[in-house]
Amino acid sequence: MILPFNLILVLFVYICAIAAITIRDLLSAVVILGAYSFLMCLLWTEMAAIDVAFTEASVSAGIGTVLMIGAISKTKRRSKD
Amino acid sequence: MFDFIVDHYNYWTYIGLMIIGFYAMMTKRNLIKKIIGMNIFQSAIIFFFISSSVKKGVTVPILEHAHGHAAHGLEHVTHAVDAMQYANPLPHVLMLTAIVVMVATLGVALAVAIMIYRKYHTLEEDEIIMAIKRD
Amino acid sequence: MKTLSIIIQVLLGAALIYGTLDMPKWGDPHSPAASHVSPYYLQHSIEHTATPNVVTSVLADYRGYDTLGETTVIFTAGMACILLLKRRDKSQGKRHV
């Protein structure tokens, strides 16, 4: 655990989380959610949880983003709020 | 006061992320936005568990100088391991399971959203409720 | 609706922050989470399982039934996805992709 690095990563995680729920274009929101997952992965590497980090990078940031893009391609891309 | 903040701000971080996700689940009307909020919520919970495994100044929970001992027989292996030198491995294991379950939940939720879109041709919650009332 | 939701979020956040005031310090090596069963795993992992990575030895050896339950959950989720997304042409009439 390195305190300044942790604070910077937490700041970026917050920016990504707020952007993912406010952007109206759903494809952009999903891609930002993928970036959020990768930043979480860096945060866990910094907390010495490397197994969780590479599981997050492959499963949540990889397969999760692919599943959500597939669902958006079968439904609508625009959102009202 | 400063020491108290440094010792406790990680809990406040996960509380903030959890509230962002919960807010998205409650107020956003689009179903995909609700699912994104659910993802953020679950990540915040996992963040809490992982941060409970941190000890100051430790390394990853992979034991040093342990390769090759098994080939020479087990009597060399039982050297004392200092548990204060490695991070707590138990929350990592539990959260490894939780991440995979999180993606399984995400898949089922997206399948239900696709089903709703096939029936009502929209993903907005208020339009779906109006269509249900009209039938 | 939005103001009610924001009030609920603020109340929830205040309750949770009040709860964290008694939590152990971040990075404390003697916190309750780090003092009961995880030193046992760290000290006996090589002796019992011959694996230097303690996380995988706990995941697959000490808590293998947990992983078995996890695979059951993934199988159930996959079956649910297949059953939900299957086309049903006859029963529901016209269906769009």
Side-chain angles (χ1 to χ4, degrees), chain B residues 7-8 10-12 18-19 22-23 26-27 51 54-56 61-63 66 77 81 88 90 93 100 107 115 118, chain C residues 2 5 9 13 16 20 23-27 29 33-34 37-38 43 46 52 54-55 70 74 81 84 88 96:
Chain B
D7 286 338
H8 287 80
N10 68 315
Y11 299 115
W12 305 337
M18 202 184 100
I19 283 175
F22 198 33
Y23 173 79
M26 281 180 78
T27 60
S51 74
V54 172
K55 303 172 194 166
K56 268 203 180 73
I62 295 175
L63 303 177
V77 176
V81 175
N88 186 1
L90 197 53
V93 175
V100 179
M115 283 292 292
R118 278 184 191 166
Chain C
K2 208 161 192 172
S5 161
Q9 311 299 331
L16 285 174
T20 63
M23 296 287 273
K25 291 176 186 172
W26 191 36
V37 71
S38 74
Q43 281 157 5
I46 291 181
V54 187
V55 174
E70 177 199 341
I74 298 166
C81 284
L84 281 172
R88 276 164 292 189
H96 297 266

Side-chain angles (χ1 to χ4, degrees), chain C residues 56-72:
Chain C
T56 50
S57 87
V58 176
L59 182 76
D61 268 323
Y62 290 108
R63 302 201 171 210
Y65 281 113
D66 204 351
T67 311
L68 180 67
E70 177 199 341
T71 49
T72 313

